[in-house]
């Protein structure tokens, strides 16, 4: 799958992570698919039910944002078996996020929602990083310990 045309996450950002799977994000059903894939992998590797629910919720929000705000995107799941860490990367070629700090603020919404999505996803992940460029897209990396 081709990477976006801005400084997205790449192999040096992911270190020893091993690619498990990749998905195209086009519809809300695709967001459900990636949420279920992440939850299944976490459960298979002994993550607590609370950890699974929290991270799957974050995954769902980020995938949904790519679909709603960018018209779709791509989603990859990685694992670092030595560090026992699961990482996901979601990227799109949408309009980008003009003010990331504002977008992470609870109550801020650009799409008529409750304004808890992006900030909530950040709180639910151990590692959370956004890279974005106006007119070129957004890439979100999130990790959780297994």
């Amino acid at each position: 799958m081709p990477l976006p045309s801005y400084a997205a996450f790449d192999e040096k950002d992911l270190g020893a992570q091993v690619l498990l799977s990749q998905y195209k994000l086009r519809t809300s059903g695709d967001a459900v698919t990636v949420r279920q894939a992440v939850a299944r992998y976490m459960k298979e590797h002994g993550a607590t039910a609370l950890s699974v629910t929290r991270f799957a919720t974050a995954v769902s929000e980020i995938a949904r944002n790519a679909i709603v705000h960018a018209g779709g995107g791509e989603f990859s799941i990685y694992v670092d078996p030595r560090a026992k860490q699961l990482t996901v990367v979601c990227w799109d070629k949408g309009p980008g996020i003009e003010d990331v700090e504002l977008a992470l603020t609870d109550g801020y919404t650009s799409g008529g929602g409750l304004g808890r999505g992006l900030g909530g996803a950040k709180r639910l992940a151990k590692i959370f990083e956004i890279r974005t460029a106006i007119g070129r897209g957004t890439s979100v990396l999130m990790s959780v310990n297994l």
Side-chain angles (χ1 to χ4, degrees), residues 41-145:
Y41 188 84
M42 289 179 72
K43 288 175 191 174
E44 289 170 359
H45 288 83
T48 66
L50 179 59
S51 178
V52 170
T53 299
R54 290 173 56 91
F55 196 64
T57 298
V59 162
S60 186
E61 179 60 31
I62 296 306
R64 184 188 125 339
N65 280 354
I67 295 163
V68 170
H69 299 290
E74 298 185 34
F75 192 93
S76 298
I77 304 172
Y78 299 86
V79 66
D80 183 339
R82 291 179 304 200
K84 295 187 177 181
Q85 188 172 63
L86 186 75
T87 299
V88 299
V89 176
C90 181
W91 68 87
D92 62 60
K93 293 183 180 178
I97 301 172
E98 195 166 316
D99 186 338
V100 173
E101 281 191 49
L102 180 60
L104 289 168
T105 304
D106 282 346
Y108 173 80
T109 180
S110 63
L114 297 175
R116 294 196 180 109
L118 204 53
K122 181 178 181 180
R123 285 189 297 277
L124 296 172
K126 180 178 189 268
I127 296 171
F128 183 93
E129 187 178 342
I130 296 176
R131 294 183 183 173
T132 190
I134 301 305
R136 293 175 42 202
T138 300
S139 184
V140 177
L141 179 144
M142 298 187 301
S143 295
V144 66
N145 291 338

